[in-house]
Amino acid sequence: MLAIQHLSKQFGTLKALSDVNFTVAQGEIMGLIGQNGSGKSTTFHSILNFLKYDGQISWNNAPITEAVFDEIGYLPEERSLMPKLTVEQQIIYLARLKNQSAKLIRPQIDGWLKKFSVKGKRTDKIKDLSKGNQQKVQLICTLIHRPKLLILDEPFSGLDPVNVDLLEQAIIEAKQQGTAIIFSSHDMGNVEALCDRLLMLKLGKVVLNGRIEDVRNQFGKDRLFVTTDWEEQRLKQLEHVVEVTRLADKKYLLKLDDPVAGRAIFHALTQGDYIEEFSQQAPSLDEIFRMKVSDQDA
């Protein structure tokens, strides 16, 4: 388990991190979210001992030492491959830094290239690959030694939907193998789809921390998704409905000022008959993110 206790970091007068606390268990995925400059990369760099910090960071109840780095896979936000190396040379070089032998890694390369649908051969030079395929090679370098702790800084950046799916599958597979995973993303859809927990930073401070559903439910189930023959104006006249948004033909989003009103609205809309859709939900993660960003007290 990765455990962060009272993590703080200051650059001159800038307080980059202030008393950050969280854990990531084995077989668990945590999403680290926040605006640019909120402290996400500084958190990652602290875990990896790239910089000095105040507080405590431990892996399986022990400090993170040089030996532990062999168990860590790290994908930086700024991709960095050596363009003159072949794909095979690049993968083996980085694997050797994790104390993996070329004899062990070489037979796995073709399988990983196929897994990520890399358009290129192991003998191709990195510089001759497209940017997207270079990114896939870097992901292979991050994963091929099967790390027990996986740190991904904006891993989905620049990937098309097909390749996002490939990466999501690789992350889920690593989780199933017991890897503790933490990744940052500006796409709340990725976080909501993959993560067990999330941590949101704002100006270096934790403003959200917990399981995805628990975080959403903190804000109350004040959204109603309904499919109905009622006209928009009639929906607006329902008690406790403060806003109506038409999403498609006969499909609406109702925002309530009191989640308890959902039951009464259900009876009003159905009147004992069938209704195609009636779903009462908490705000989406994207909505919550925007709320916390604009919250002056957060």
Side-chain angles (χ1 to χ4, degrees):
M1 182 175 72
L2 175 69
I4 310 294
Q5 296 175 295
H6 308 297
L7 176 62
S8 296
K9 176 62 185 177
Q10 191 153 334
F11 297 99
T13 58
L14 174 65
K15 193 80 169 179
L17 294 172
S18 181
D19 198 29
V20 173
N21 298 272
F22 66 89
T23 61
V24 186
Q26 290 171 275
E28 183 176 60
I29 304 175
M30 169 172 275
L32 183 60
I33 63 175
Q35 290 181 289
N36 292 334
S38 63
K40 301 187 301 296
S41 291
T42 302
T43 300
F44 289 155
H45 293 168
S46 299
I47 296 169
L48 295 162
N49 279 333
F50 289 173
L51 45 79
K52 294 182 179 180
Y53 56 83
D54 294 316
Q56 290 184 321
I57 299 177
S58 63
W59 172 246
N60 292 334
N61 300 313
I64 295 180
T65 61
E66 188 172 337
V68 175
F69 289 137
D70 291 345
E71 299 181 355
I72 298 176
Y74 171 55
L75 180 73
E77 183 176 8
E78 296 297 327
R79 315 301 188 229
S80 55
L81 297 175
M82 290 175 275
K84 294 183 179 180
L85 294 185
T86 66
V87 169
E88 179 176 314
Q89 289 170 336
Q90 178 69 83
I91 293 172
I92 289 176
Y93 173 76
L94 291 176
R96 294 282 290 128
L97 295 180
K98 297 293 185 180
N99 283 317
Q100 300 288 307
S101 70
K103 184 178 180 180
L104 176 67
I105 294 299
R106 190 173 284 115
Q108 302 181 46
I109 292 175
D110 286 337
W112 280 91
L113 294 177
K114 183 178 180 181
K115 184 186 186 77
F116 279 97
S117 300
V118 175
K119 291 180 173 60
K121 302 185 297 296
R122 62 198 295 157
T123 54
D124 291 340
K125 291 188 182 295
I126 296 294
K127 65 182 178 65
D128 295 329
L129 300 182
S130 68
K131 184 177 179 181
N133 283 297
Q134 288 182 23
Q135 189 164 344
K136 291 181 188 179
V137 171
Q138 181 131 24
L139 286 167
I140 292 169
C141 294
T142 304
L143 296 167
I144 198 167
H145 68 291
R146 302 192 184 280
K148 296 179 181 177
L149 171 61
L150 187 56
I151 299 172
L152 307 172
D153 199 349
E154 295 292 340
F156 299 100
S157 177
L159 293 179
D160 60 46
V162 172
N163 288 317
V164 166
D165 288 344
L166 290 173
L167 177 54
E168 286 184 346
Q169 290 169 20
I171 291 173
I172 291 169
E173 182 179 312
K175 172 186 174 175
Q176 291 170 341
Q177 293 170 351
T179 303
I181 303 167
I182 177 171
F183 74 83
S184 63
S185 180
H186 286 107
D187 188 330
M188 297 302 103
N190 296 139
V191 175
E192 201 150 12
L194 288 173
C195 294
D196 303 295
R197 303 173 57 84
L198 72 82
L199 184 92
M200 181 175 180
L201 295 174
K202 182 176 180 181
L203 300 177
K205 296 181 179 180
V206 176
V207 293
L208 290 173
N209 185 9
R211 300 191 68 81
I212 298 286
E213 280 306 304
D214 292 340
V215 167
R216 289 187 63 198
N217 289 335
Q218 288 177 26
F219 292 81
K221 293 187 175 183
D222 60 356
R223 268 68 168 165
L224 278 178
F225 293 88
V226 301
T227 300
T228 177
D229 289 328
W230 283 34
E231 296 294 332
E232 184 173 337
Q233 193 58 40
R234 188 179 178 190
L235 292 170
K236 288 180 178 178
Q237 294 172 358
L238 287 166
E239 193 172 1
H240 297 293
V241 172
V242 295
E243 185 179 330
V244 177
T245 303
R246 186 175 182 272
L247 303 176
D249 184 36
K250 298 184 179 181
K251 183 171 183 175
Y252 300 90
L253 166 61
L254 314 182
K255 292 188 180 179
L256 312 179
D257 61 12
D258 183 359
V260 175
R263 185 180 295 273
I265 292 172
F266 174 80
H267 289 303
L269 288 176
T270 62
Q271 297 180 6
D273 291 331
Y274 167 80
I275 188 170
E276 184 176 339
E277 179 184 16
F278 185 97
S279 176
Q280 186 165 355
Q281 301 179 20
S284 69
L285 206 52
D286 188 72
E287 290 177 292
I288 292 170
F289 180 89
R290 295 172 189 276
M291 283 189 278
K292 296 304 283 187
V293 165
S294 61
D295 186 354
Q296 298 300 313
D297 296 325

